[in-house]
Structures are given as C-alpha cells and as structure tokens.
C-alpha cells in the first residue's frame, strides 16, 4: 500500500516539485497551501508523514506542527520541515513544537525521499 504524504507549503512551485518527486517515488501526495488548510485536510488525509514549510500566511509551520501535535491521533506522525531557514534557533523551536527532521530548500529529491523512507520505516 502506498504511503501518504501531506505537504504544506504556500509556494505553488515547491508544491509542484514535491508532487512530482513524491509521486514518482510511489507516494500518495495530499497538498495544502498553508497551516490552516493543512489542519483542515489532516483528518481526511490521514498521512503517514507530513512535510511542511515554516514561513506561510495565516498559520506558519510552527503553529501547524503544534496543531498537529495537540491531536492525540497525530502525535506519532513524523513531521519533516522543508524550509529556506537554516538557523539553529528556528530548528530548535520546530523540534520543541514536535518536528521530526529539518531539510533546507532547495531540496535534493533523493535526500528528501531518503528522509521520508527513514522516518516512516
């Protein structure tokens, strides 16, 4: 059975790159444009892993991660942060919010797939 990935990113370009990368690797991909939409589709999506940006309108990645972690049902889902940010303070804040890993954009498709495989194994 295909593993499901929920991607949350406000950039259409990044969403398209993620869709192609993940679908080509055999994943089922569900997409959201920001943290608010991410939380709205979470129940229907029921993902095996989440890939989220940090800088988004309406609800940023930190708020989104906290929202996911507040729900008992989603406490164990791995969350990978995919962002242009690389500062240690933000990484730490994401980890405290409940993020599993951190990948800096632009991403290497092979490394992204490897990271997803690792956290969903």
């Amino acid at each position: 059975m295909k593993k499901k990935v929920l991607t949350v990113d406000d950039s259409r370009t990044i969403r398209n790159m993620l869709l192609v990368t993940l679908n080509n690797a055999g994943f089922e991909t569900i997409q959201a444009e920001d943290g608010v939409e991410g939380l709205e589709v979470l129940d229907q999506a029921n993902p095996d892993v989440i890939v989220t940006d940090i800088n988004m309108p309406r609800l940023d990645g930190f708020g989104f991660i906290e929202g996911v972690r507040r729900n008992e049902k989603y406490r164990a889902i791995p969350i990978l942060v995919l962002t242009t940010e690389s500062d240690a303070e933000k990484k730490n804040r994401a980890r405290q919010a409940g993020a599993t890993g951190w990948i800096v954009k632009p991403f290497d498709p092979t490394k992204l797939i490897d990271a997803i495989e690792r956290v969903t194994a």
Side-chain angles (χ1 to χ4, degrees):
M1 199 166 122
K2 281 186 177 184
K3 286 184 182 160
K4 281 192 207 169
V5 182
L6 171 60
T7 65
V8 185
D9 200 303
D10 60 319
S11 160
R12 181 187 303 274
T13 306
I14 295 292
R15 284 198 312 274
N16 288 341
M17 287 168 61
L18 285 168
L19 188 66
V20 169
T21 300
L22 296 168
N23 288 357
N24 286 346
F27 292 98
E28 182 180 332
T29 311
I30 299 103
Q31 298 194 305
E33 290 184 24
D34 61 27
V36 171
E37 189 183 357
L39 291 174
E40 286 169 358
V41 301
L42 195 55
D43 276 331
Q44 301 154 283
N46 199 16
D48 296 295
V49 62
I50 296 169
V51 177
T52 184
D53 188 15
I54 288 295
N55 302 314
M56 298 180 286
R58 296 202 302 165
L59 181 63
D60 69 10
F62 300 119
F64 171 68
I65 294 166
E66 288 162 1
V68 171
R69 293 301 186 222
R70 268 195 298 271
N71 186 329
E72 189 63 43
K73 188 175 166 189
Y74 303 117
R75 288 254 162 85
I77 294 177
I79 300 175
L80 296 174
V81 173
L82 178 67
T83 181
T84 54
E85 301 287 343
S86 58
D87 116 1
E89 191 182 307
K90 287 202 168 134
K91 281 186 191 174
N92 199 27
R93 187 172 161 205
R95 210 171 283 121
Q96 285 173 339
T100 313
W102 190 276
I103 298 165
V104 178
K105 292 175 189 172
F107 67 93
D108 172 331
T110 308
K111 286 184 179 157
L112 176 67
I113 297 304
D114 287 348
I116 290 171
E117 295 285 3
R118 246 193 335 272
V119 299
T120 58

